[in-house]
Amino acid sequence: MEIIFPRLHKHQRVVYDAVIGDNGAGNIYVVKSKRQCGKSFLASLILIYFSLNKRDTTSLIVEPTLNQSRRVFKEIAKMLEGSNIIKNANQSLLSIDFINGSEIIFKSAEQYDAIRGYSVSGILIVDEGAFIVDDVYEILFPVRDAHNSPMLVISTPLFCDGYFYRLFTSTNSKSYDWCA
C-alpha cells in the first residue's frame, strides 16, 4: 500500500526534510512559529512517517494538556482511518499501534510523571513547547537517550526564557523561525 502525504508549504517542507533526512540521528529540531502555520499538522506527518518507515518503534508526542493530546490523537487516527495500517487506535490509552509493530503514544505535560519509564526509539515530539514547564523537559530528555532518538520541539513563542527558548537559541539545536 502506498500512503500519499499531502503537499507541504515551503516552511513545513524545510523542517520535514531535515528531520526525515537525518533519519533519527538524535538531533534536536526547534520550530518557533506564529499561530495557525501548520505546526501540529507537520508533527502528525512526521509521527506517521517514523511509524511507517521504522518497524517496531515507539514515538511519543507530548502536549501541554490532556485535551490537546486527545485532539491530536483523534486527528491522526482520522487521517489513517481505513488505511489498513493501524492495528489498534486506543482512545482510552491514547496510543496508536501499527501493523508493523510501531506505536505512537500521546502524553500530557500535566501528568508528566506518567512519561517516566518510556524509551523512544522513533521520534519524540513536544508540541507547544514554550507552554511546558522546565521540569517536564528534565523527564523528556532521558526517554530518547537509549536510542539516540531525534526530538522535534514546536511552539508559538511565549517568553525569552525557559527550556523552549534555550533550545531555540542553542547552537546544539537546529532552529527554524516561522515568525519572521
Side-chain angles (χ1 to χ4, degrees):
M1 167 183 281
E2 181 181 6
I3 302 291
I4 300 171
F5 279 6
R7 195 176 172 128
L8 296 172
H9 294 283
K10 185 178 179 182
H11 63 279
Q12 293 170 313
R13 173 57 68 183
V14 170
V15 176
Y16 180 87
D17 288 345
V19 174
I20 300 307
D22 284 349
N23 205 23
N27 292 320
I28 298 173
Y29 306 88
V30 185
V31 176
K32 179 179 80 167
S33 173
K34 298 180 263 186
R35 293 186 40 76
Q36 303 299 314
C37 284
K39 298 180 302 292
S40 296
F41 182 71
L42 175 66
S44 298
L45 292 182
I46 290 172
L47 282 167
I48 293 167
Y49 176 88
F50 270 82
S51 298
L52 294 178
N53 290 287
K54 297 180 177 291
R55 298 179 64 81
D56 300 316
T57 59
T58 298
S59 293
L60 178 67
I61 181 166
V62 178
E63 299 284 344
T65 67
L66 186 56
N67 282 340
Q68 287 170 298
S69 292
R70 285 188 183 118
R71 180 186 51 82
V72 174
F73 166 84
K74 287 178 184 178
E75 288 172 0
I76 292 177
K78 187 174 180 178
M79 278 181 183
L80 299 173
E81 194 172 56
S83 67
N84 296 322
I85 59 173
I86 295 178
K87 184 173 156 184
N88 184 32
N90 190 318
Q91 194 165 356
S92 296
L93 297 176
L94 294 179
S95 67
I96 297 174
D97 299 318
F98 291 79
I99 60 172
N100 69 355
S102 292
E103 68 178 332
I104 301 172
I105 300 169
F106 303 77
K107 288 293 182 184
S108 160
E110 293 172 323
Q111 300 159 325
Y112 59 89
D113 275 337
I115 298 168
R116 293 184 198 278
Y118 281 99
S119 181
V120 173
S121 53
I123 188 165
L124 169 61
I125 297 182
V126 181
D127 193 9
E128 291 300 354
F131 299 88
I132 293 178
V133 297
D134 289 359
D135 292 346
V136 175
Y137 284 96
E138 297 296 333
I139 292 169
L140 289 174
F141 283 108
V143 304
R144 58 187 282 275
D145 287 346
H147 299 281
N148 197 30
S149 298
M151 180 178 187
L152 172 63
V153 184
I154 54 180
S155 189
T156 49
L158 183 61
F159 302 113
C160 293
D161 189 23
Y163 237 116
F164 175 77
Y165 178 75
R166 289 192 299 277
L167 287 173
F168 182 76
T169 57
S170 171
T171 57
N172 295 325
S173 302
K174 296 182 180 189
S175 298
Y176 304 87
D177 189 345
W178 293 359
C179 291

